Structure formats: structure tokens, C-alpha cells
Amino acid sequence: DSGFSSCNTKFIAVVTEAAGGGAFVCIPLEKTGRLEPTYPVVGGHSQAVLDLAWNPFNDNIIASSSEDTTVKVWHIPDGGLTENLVEPLVDLRGHQRRVGIIRWHPTAHNILLSAGHDALIVVWDIARADSICEIECADLVWSISWNYNGSLIATTSKDKMIRV
């Protein structure tokens, strides 16, 4: 459905347990070579992670969405994890089915949107850990993008429609 990796100027994040767990690794870009089997993971989801997105305003903040219907926001320390991380900064609950897409707002701090298989788009205020608005869609959203200043979103859906 979505991306199983995401990169920024400090880290690359890769989903490691897409089939059943809910884990991903965040690897500092300067780390080279093979990862040890015991390399620390971000593992707070109860089911598979479906999308990852780094905050464009803070290179240490990453959001993840999952089959478990949640969106979680995590803080990755400089230098990477030294132990498994299971407690998110923010745990966002508002979808009834799996959440396949997450996108950070391009110009507003702490604003994130999620699109779930419940045909619902939720715009979240991360600072308040609450939804700002919910948009019911006519069908399953396959892709979504903010415009350059974040005043509009565009979606493509299962019904083969583009909506702005």
C-alpha cells in the first residue's frame, strides 16, 4: 500500500516486521554495514506498520501508521536508538480500520494527516494529540498529497476519482 521506508538528513527508517509485528528501525545515515540481529527497533504497534514519515521541521520526530488503526509519533535521539522504543510521544486514535497513509503538513508545525481504510482522512494537531478535522471520503483513498503551502489536499481513490 504505502512506503516501507523513509529518509531525512539524519536517519533512514525501514519497516522490519511488515508481516506480523509492528516494528521498524531508525538507522543513522553515518552507520554503514550490516545491522546486528539485536539492533534496537521502534516497536509500539501491535500489528504491521504500513507507512512512515519524518517530520519536516524536526529530524528527530517520525510518525508511523499501522494495521492496528493507530498513528504514533516517536522521538529518535541523535545518534539513534540504544534500546528498543515502545512508548510513543503521541498515540493517535480515530480510525476504525487500518491506516495506510500519513503525511506531514508542509508549512505548519505539528500538523499531520492520516488516511485509513475506513475512507476517513483525519488532520491531527500533534501538540494537542487531537484531531482538527475529519473528512469522510466517497471511497478508499489510495494516495494523498498536500499542495505546496498546505492549504489544499488532493486524493486519488479506489473509485478512480481525483479530488481536491
Side-chain angles (χ1 to χ4, degrees):
D1 285 88
S2 297
F4 292 109
S5 65
S6 185
C7 190
N8 68 12
T9 60
K10 289 185 179 180
F11 303 98
I12 182 168
V14 181
V15 174
T16 57
E17 297 178 25
F24 61 96
V25 294
C26 294
I27 307 161
L29 293 180
E30 61 272 1
K31 181 166 179 51
T32 59
R34 175 176 260 170
L35 294 180
E36 311 83 41
T38 58
Y39 194 83
V41 298
V42 179
H45 287 286
S46 61
Q47 295 181 31
V49 173
L50 299 176
D51 200 11
L52 299 168
W54 290 100
N55 185 322
F57 302 102
N58 184 336
D59 286 338
N60 296 83
I61 301 293
I62 188 169
S64 60
S65 67
S66 172
E67 289 265 356
D68 66 10
T69 74
T70 66
V71 175
K72 297 180 188 284
V73 179
W74 311 89
H75 179 267
I76 308 301
D78 287 331
L81 297 174
T82 57
E83 60 185 11
N84 290 346
L85 180 60
V86 295
E87 289 297 322
L89 288 175
V90 180
D91 191 352
L92 304 169
R93 298 175 182 271
H95 288 280
Q96 299 303 310
R97 297 190 61 200
R98 70 187 195 160
V99 184
I101 304 170
I102 49 177
R103 300 286 182 267
W104 289 98
H105 193 282
T107 61
H109 292 275
N110 294 322
I111 302 298
L112 178 73
L113 70 73
S114 59
H117 282 241
D118 50 5
L120 185 66
I121 297 170
V122 181
V123 180
W124 302 96
D125 179 343
I126 302 304
R128 290 186 10 233
D130 198 14
S131 66
I132 296 171
C133 75
E134 297 181 0
I135 303 166
E136 291 185 25
C137 301
D139 208 340
L140 177 65
V141 174
W142 278 351
S143 69
I144 192 164
S145 292
W146 294 96
N147 70 335
Y148 73 99
N149 68 1
S151 63
L152 298 170
I153 58 172
T155 65
T156 60
S157 302
K158 184 177 179 183
D159 61 5
K160 300 180 183 174
M161 298 293 291
I162 298 172
R163 294 179 175 88
V164 178

